[in-house]
Amino acid sequence: MGLTFNQLKQGIQDFLENSATSFTTATGSGKAPIEVCIELAELRIAKEVDLTAFRKVATLSMPQYTSAAAVPEDLVVPRYLRIQNGDFLLEKDETFIKEFTKNPTDNSKAGVIRFYALNQTGTSYTSSNRQTNFLFGPTPSLATTVEIGYTMRVPGISSGNQNTYLGDRAPDALLYGSLVEAVAFMKEIPQQIELWSGYYSKAIQTLANEEQVRMRNDEFRNGELKTMTRGQ
C-alpha cells in the first residue's frame, strides 16, 4: 500500500476528524497547516533514518591549482570523497587543511589531493547558495575530478509531486509522522500526542531496521539476522 499526496492529506483529515478550513486551506504563509505538518514529518524521517534511496553520487571538476569547490546544493551529509577511479580522500577539519597547505596559491606546493574539509566562504547564506565549500589539500597540481557520495535532500510530496519514495515505500511512517505534527498544531491533549507518537516510533523503527540493517547485511556474509539493531 502506498499513499499519494491527495490520499495522505485526506487520510490525516479522516484520522483526526478535522476538515476545518483553518487546517486544510492556505494561510498568509501560502501553505495550509496540514501541508506544513506533512513537510515537517518528511524532514523528521529524513533526519532520523539513513535511507538508501536518499543517497547520491556526483562529481566535482577541480581545475588545476584550485583548492576549493562549492558543495552540491542538495547535499545534507557527505559520505565519502575520492579521486574519480582512484584513492579515497581523508576527512579533516578546516584548520588541518590550512596548516597542511599554508599557502594554497603557492603552486610549487601543489600535488595530488589527499584531504578534504568543509568550510564557509564568509558570505551570507541565501536560499540558492549555502556558501559552503569543500576545501582540499594539497592544492591539485593537475585538473582533477572528485567523486562525492552523499545523502541528499529530496523533493517532498505535494500536489504537484503526488508520488515519493516515502509515500510509496513507507506510508505508515509518513502518515503517523504527519499525525504527530498535526495534533501538535491542533493543540490536542497530551494523550493524543503520545498515542500518535507511539505509532510513529514503531513505524520509524521498522523502517530503520529495513533500511539500515536488513538492506545492508546480506545472508552470505552475516547469515540470517536473529536480532536487528538500528544504526549498523
Side-chain angles (χ1 to χ4, degrees), residues 3-14 34 38 42 157 162 167 171 174-176 178-179:
L3 291 173
T4 65
F5 172 76
N6 289 341
Q7 291 170 333
L8 174 62
K9 191 174 179 181
Q10 187 60 52
I12 295 168
Q13 295 174 70
D14 292 344
I34 190 172
I38 292 171
E42 290 179 308
I157 197 168
Q162 287 283 330
L174 183 55
L175 173 61
Y176 294 140
S178 300
L179 289 170

Side-chain angles (χ1 to χ4, degrees), residues 40-165:
L40 291 174
E42 290 179 308
L43 184 61
R44 176 185 291 203
I45 294 169
K47 288 183 175 182
E48 291 187 1
V49 184
D50 181 18
L51 294 164
T52 303
F54 289 9
R55 291 181 170 189
K56 182 178 180 178
V57 176
T59 57
L60 285 175
S61 296
M62 296 292 299
Q64 182 184 34
Y65 304 138
T66 302
S67 61
V71 303
E73 285 300 311
D74 61 348
L75 180 144
V76 178
V77 178
R79 296 174 42 241
Y80 70 85
L81 274 73
R82 69 166 185 155
I83 305 298
Q84 191 174 47
N85 302 320
D87 293 333
F88 283 82
L89 306 183
L90 298 178
E91 183 181 17
K92 299 290 184 178
D93 56 47
E94 182 180 356
T95 55
F96 176 93
I97 299 292
K98 290 185 175 181
E99 170 63 22
F100 180 85
T101 306
K102 289 188 170 63
N103 182 4
T105 63
D106 183 355
N107 296 339
S108 67
K109 301 293 180 63
V112 177
I113 298 173
R114 295 169 53 197
F115 310 109
Y116 76 94
L118 290 168
N119 85 316
Q120 292 289 328
T121 65
T123 304
S124 298
Y125 166 87
T126 68
S127 59
S128 60
N129 191 334
R130 62 201 297 178
Q131 305 295 345
T132 303
N133 284 346
F134 285 120
L135 193 64
F136 296 100
T139 301
S141 58
L142 298 173
T144 305
T145 299
V146 176
E147 179 182 294
I148 316 168
Y150 63 95
T151 300
M152 62 179 173
R153 185 74 71 220
V154 301
I157 197 168
S158 65
S159 58
N161 187 30
Q162 287 283 330
N163 292 87
T164 63
Y165 183 84

